[in-house]
């Protein structure tokens, strides 16, 4: 199972403020939606509740409290291992981690890849993407768009370092 985080973050790693994204980048939303469209996605309850149009083929929602969801494609998970088990039970080879900050932090040690939209500037926020050691990752792609850049980082196999 490949685990890939997808996030848009500012130069000071802000990903959200007051349960909202502090910028409006329609082109980024479109590329992000296309990227995750054919796979299950994993996020926390608050992030799940922010979506009116659910991304991915299935939604795996991490929460401290077991719950039911109105969406038939939504599944409850208590922790990282259970989220991965659910994604695998759906026949997925890859799952995308979509946040928020606490969920990114939980999954960071388990990620194989990060697809990060880098938004120029510093923003006020209350949710942040976790720090990572760039020496443990390879930047394998960087694509500039108007107003942002999408970077793809891969964690090398153990024998590659």
């Amino acid at each position: 199972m490949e685990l890939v985080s997808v996030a848009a973050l500012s130069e000071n790693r802000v990903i959200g403020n007051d349960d909202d994204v502090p910028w409006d980048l329609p082109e980024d939303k479109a590329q992000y939606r296309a990227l995750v469209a054919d796979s299950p996605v994993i996020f926390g309850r608050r992030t799940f509740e922010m979506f009116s149009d659910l991304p991915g083929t299935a939604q795996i929602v991490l929460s401290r409290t077991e719950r039911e969801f109105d969406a038939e494609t939504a599944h409850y998970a208590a922790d990282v291992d259970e989220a991965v088990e659910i994604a695998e039970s759906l026949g997925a080879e890859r799952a995308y981690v979509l946040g928020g900050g606490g969920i990114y932090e939980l999954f960071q040690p388990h990620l194989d890849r990060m697809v990060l939209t880098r938004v120029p500037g510093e923003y006020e926020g209350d949710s942040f993407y976790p720090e990572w050691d760039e020496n443990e990752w390879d930047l394998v792609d960087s694509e500039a768009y108007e107003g942002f850049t999408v970077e793809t980082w891969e964690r090398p196999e153990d024998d590659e370092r």
Side-chain angles (χ1 to χ4, degrees):
M1 167 67 58
E2 181 186 26
L3 290 174
V4 182
S5 70
V6 180
L9 61 149
S10 66
E11 291 173 14
N12 57 333
R13 297 185 354 271
V14 166
I15 59 172
N17 192 29
D18 251 355
D19 290 335
D20 201 6
V21 179
W23 47 78
D24 182 32
L25 298 170
E27 192 175 10
D28 180 49
K29 287 180 186 173
Q31 69 83 26
Y32 147 85
R33 286 285 187 155
L35 177 68
V36 306
D38 297 326
S39 298
V41 297
I42 301 169
F43 37 41
R45 179 195 49 82
R46 287 176 49 201
T47 302
F48 170 75
E49 291 174 351
M50 287 172 45
F51 285 98
S52 56
D53 179 21
L54 294 171
T57 56
Q59 301 77 38
I60 302 166
V61 185
L62 267 72
S63 177
R64 292 183 191 97
T65 307
E66 188 168 357
R67 58 188 65 231
E68 297 289 321
F69 302 101
D70 290 337
E72 290 182 20
T73 55
H75 307 267
Y76 162 79
D79 56 33
V80 171
D81 291 336
E82 188 175 2
V84 170
E85 287 172 17
I86 292 168
E88 288 173 339
S89 77
L90 297 169
E93 295 178 12
R94 172 182 306 117
Y96 291 98
V97 179
L98 305 185
I103 302 302
Y104 288 129
E105 188 80 43
L106 282 174
F107 276 86
Q108 193 68 24
H110 308 281
L111 295 175
D112 301 293
R113 193 161 38 114
M114 299 183 292
V115 179
L116 303 177
T117 297
R118 306 305 288 261
V119 180
E122 294 194 0
Y123 289 79
E124 280 192 40
D126 55 18
S127 187
F128 297 85
Y129 194 83
E131 292 187 41
W132 72 94
D133 184 349
E134 289 187 11
N135 294 321
E136 296 177 5
W137 294 82
D138 293 329
L139 178 61
V140 297
D141 190 41
S142 180
E143 187 173 351
Y145 292 80
E146 187 173 332
F148 64 96
T149 301
V150 177
E151 298 177 346
T152 302
W153 294 80
E154 290 181 356
R155 192 187 307 265
E157 300 293 327
D158 290 336
D159 58 341
E160 292 181 25
R161 288 260 176 209

